[in-house]
């Protein structure tokens, strides 16, 4: 079977972090988190990487990240543009915000003919997630439903000491199938557990550290691209009336809809790896220290 592809969503600017964190060096060799992700993906069995970026950063991105792609790995560039809309739709006056993660994946459609995974550019996921996902995507399936997957992480391995995070809280059945994802947009670490609020801190609800969460690491079959395309028009028809300047088309929403319609299932592949990210500038040194430790333990070479 053809090797799976890796779609990396790198078009967003880090509003809380400040600046283009996708290219921010995390070691003395100039590697960013995205370089570690690509290294892990290649050794796990992925054969292609598709970057979804803004056209405005193309030159800088290709000269930095693009110049470090491992030998033997195909690379493609897709551009997420606010005016990339279906026929009959136009950008609302004043709209500058991108259309969300599902739209970003849809922008990669011309380059995808094989099973593929989707990740964020600025998240470190760990090798085990890539290994589990590659094995899943390379399995043939005779099921009438499309077999999707997501890598789930334990909440305690994904929180930061520097502020709050947003996480998708997962409900999983006894067969490791995803039942639902509930987005919690304000989760804070509290000693040996976490808590979330939905009313600006007036009340808090406890979450155990072993709660499974989504970090936007999904695996799909190529058929989802047609579903994304059809769904985007429906999304725009409904959402532009309600919130024309800020509505967003999200991957979990599309996947959930396909599951509800009986078109797909989603396996939850649990990773016990520590997630690292730079949600805030204060996180950077912590990530650099963690990667340095991993290199000293032989998990990564000094130069790759």
């Amino acid at each position: 079977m053809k090797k799976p592809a890796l779609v990396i969503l790198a078009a967003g600017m880090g509003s809380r972090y400040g600046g283009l964190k996708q290219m921010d060096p995390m070691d003395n060799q100039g590697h960013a988190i995205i370089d570690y992700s690509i290294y892990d993906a290649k050794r796990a069995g992925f054969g292609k990487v598709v970057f979804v970026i803004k056209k405005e950063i193309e030159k800088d991105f290709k000269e930095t990240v693009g110049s470090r792609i491992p030998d033997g790995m195909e690379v493609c560039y897709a551009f997420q543009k606010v005016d990339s809309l279906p026929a009959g739709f136009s950008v609302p006056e004043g709209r500058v915000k991108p259309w969300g993660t599902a739209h970003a994946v849809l922008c990669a459609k011309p380059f995808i003919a094989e099973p593929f995974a989707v990740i964020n550019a600025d998240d470190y996921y760990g090798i085990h997630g890539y290994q589990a996902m590659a094995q899943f995507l390379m399995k043939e399936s005779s099921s009438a439903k499309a077999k999707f997957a997501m890598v789930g992480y334990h909440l305690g391995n994904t929180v930061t000491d520097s502020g709050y995070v947003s996480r998708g809280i997962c409900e999983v059945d006894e067969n490791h199938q995803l039942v639902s994802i509930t987005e919690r947009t304000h989760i804070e670490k509290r000693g040996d557990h976490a808590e979330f609020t939905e009313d600006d801190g007036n009340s808090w609800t406890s979450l155990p550290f072993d709660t499974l969460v989504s970090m936007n690491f999904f695996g799909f079959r190529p058929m989802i691209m047609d579903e994304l395309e059809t769904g985007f028009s429906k999304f725009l028809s409904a959402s532009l009336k309600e919130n024309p300047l800020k509505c967003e088309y999200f991957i979990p929403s599309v996947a959930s809809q396909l599951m509800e319609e009986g078109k797909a299932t989603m396996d939850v592949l649990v990773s016990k790896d520590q997630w690292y990210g730079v949600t805030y500038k204060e996180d950077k040194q912590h990530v650099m220290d963690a990667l340095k430790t991993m290199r000293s333990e032989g998990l990564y070479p000094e130069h790759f």
Side-chain angles (χ1 to χ4, degrees), residues 109-210:
K109 183 181 180 183
F111 307 103
I112 294 296
E114 60 276 281
F116 65 99
V118 178
I119 63 166
N120 294 331
D122 48 6
D123 288 327
Y124 172 86
Y125 292 100
I127 181 61
H128 295 108
Y130 293 99
Q131 291 172 335
M133 184 61 79
Q135 291 170 10
F136 177 88
L137 293 175
M138 286 190 280
K139 283 182 182 176
E140 297 283 359
S141 173
S142 58
S143 172
K145 298 181 180 181
K147 290 184 69 65
F148 299 160
M150 60 157 279
V151 179
Y153 290 80
H154 291 132
L155 176 62
N157 289 336
T158 75
V159 288
T160 173
D161 291 320
S162 302
Y164 70 90
V165 296
S166 175
R167 297 287 180 260
I169 306 300
C170 300
E171 181 185 353
V172 181
D173 69 16
E174 65 276 7
N175 297 315
H176 301 286
Q177 297 291 302
L178 181 68
V179 176
S180 66
I181 299 179
T182 303
E183 195 69 23
R184 301 298 184 193
T185 58
H186 192 125
I187 301 174
E188 294 187 14
K189 188 176 180 180
R190 296 278 194 269
D192 63 353
H193 69 288
E195 296 180 359
F196 73 88
T197 181
E198 294 184 315
D199 54 12
D200 295 323
N202 291 315
S203 63
W204 294 84
T205 302
S206 180
L207 285 171
F209 270 171
D210 63 355

Side-chain angles (χ1 to χ4, degrees), residues 265-280:
T265 59
M266 183 164 292
D267 284 36
V268 177
L269 314 173
V270 179
S271 173
K272 294 185 179 179
D273 278 338
Q274 178 77 36
W275 166 92
Y276 293 100
V278 283
T279 305
Y280 303 90

Side-chain angles (χ1 to χ4, degrees), residues 20-257:
L20 195 61
K21 55 185 172 178
Q22 292 91 335
M23 294 185 280
D24 202 0
M26 292 291 157
D27 60 25
N28 293 332
Q29 283 72 47
H31 296 116
I33 288 177
I34 197 171
D35 295 300
Y36 286 86
S37 297
I38 295 166
Y39 181 84
D40 281 341
K42 185 175 188 295
R43 60 179 173 160
F46 287 82
K48 178 199 288 186
V49 58
V50 182
F51 295 111
V52 181
I53 62 174
K54 289 181 178 179
K55 185 67 177 177
E56 297 90 328
I57 68 168
E58 179 183 10
K59 182 175 182 294
D60 288 343
F61 196 93
K62 287 183 175 180
E63 289 177 353
T64 53
V65 178
S67 68
R68 299 194 290 261
I69 302 300
D71 291 341
M73 198 167 197
E74 184 182 351
V75 59
C76 306
Y77 295 89
F79 303 104
Q80 185 178 22
K81 303 174 184 176
V82 72
D83 61 355
S84 293
L85 297 173
F89 293 94
S90 58
V91 180
E93 185 177 353
R95 173 92 190 200
V96 294
K97 190 178 185 66
W99 294 103
T101 53
H103 177 252
V105 174
L106 180 57
C107 292
K109 183 181 180 183
F111 307 103
I112 294 296
E114 60 276 281
F116 65 99
V118 178
I119 63 166
N120 294 331
D122 48 6
D123 288 327
Y124 172 86
Y125 292 100
I127 181 61
H128 295 108
Y130 293 99
Q131 291 172 335
M133 184 61 79
Q135 291 170 10
F136 177 88
L137 293 175
M138 286 190 280
K139 283 182 182 176
E140 297 283 359
S141 173
S142 58
S143 172
K145 298 181 180 181
K147 290 184 69 65
F148 299 160
M150 60 157 279
V151 179
Y153 290 80
H154 291 132
L155 176 62
N157 289 336
T158 75
V159 288
T160 173
D161 291 320
S162 302
Y164 70 90
V165 296
S166 175
R167 297 287 180 260
I169 306 300
C170 300
E171 181 185 353
V172 181
D173 69 16
E174 65 276 7
N175 297 315
H176 301 286
Q177 297 291 302
L178 181 68
V179 176
S180 66
I181 299 179
T182 303
E183 195 69 23
R184 301 298 184 193
T185 58
H186 192 125
I187 301 174
E188 294 187 14
K189 188 176 180 180
R190 296 278 194 269
D192 63 353
H193 69 288
E195 296 180 359
F196 73 88
T197 181
E198 294 184 315
D199 54 12
D200 295 323
N202 291 315
S203 63
W204 294 84
T205 302
S206 180
L207 285 171
F209 270 171
D210 63 355
T211 302
L212 278 182
V213 298
S214 167
M215 300 302 298
N216 287 328
F217 188 167
F218 293 100
F220 297 113
R221 307 295 164 177
M223 60 77 72
I224 198 173
M225 289 299 189
D226 289 336
E227 298 288 348
L228 287 171
E229 199 163 45
T230 302
F232 191 38
S233 293
K234 294 178 181 177
F235 165 83
L236 290 170
S237 295
S239 300
L240 285 178
K241 299 172 186 175
E242 301 170 3
N243 193 1
L245 299 185
K246 293 186 177 180
C247 60
E248 291 186 72
Y249 188 43
F250 291 120
I251 294 171
S253 300
V254 177
S256 295
Q257 183 66 35

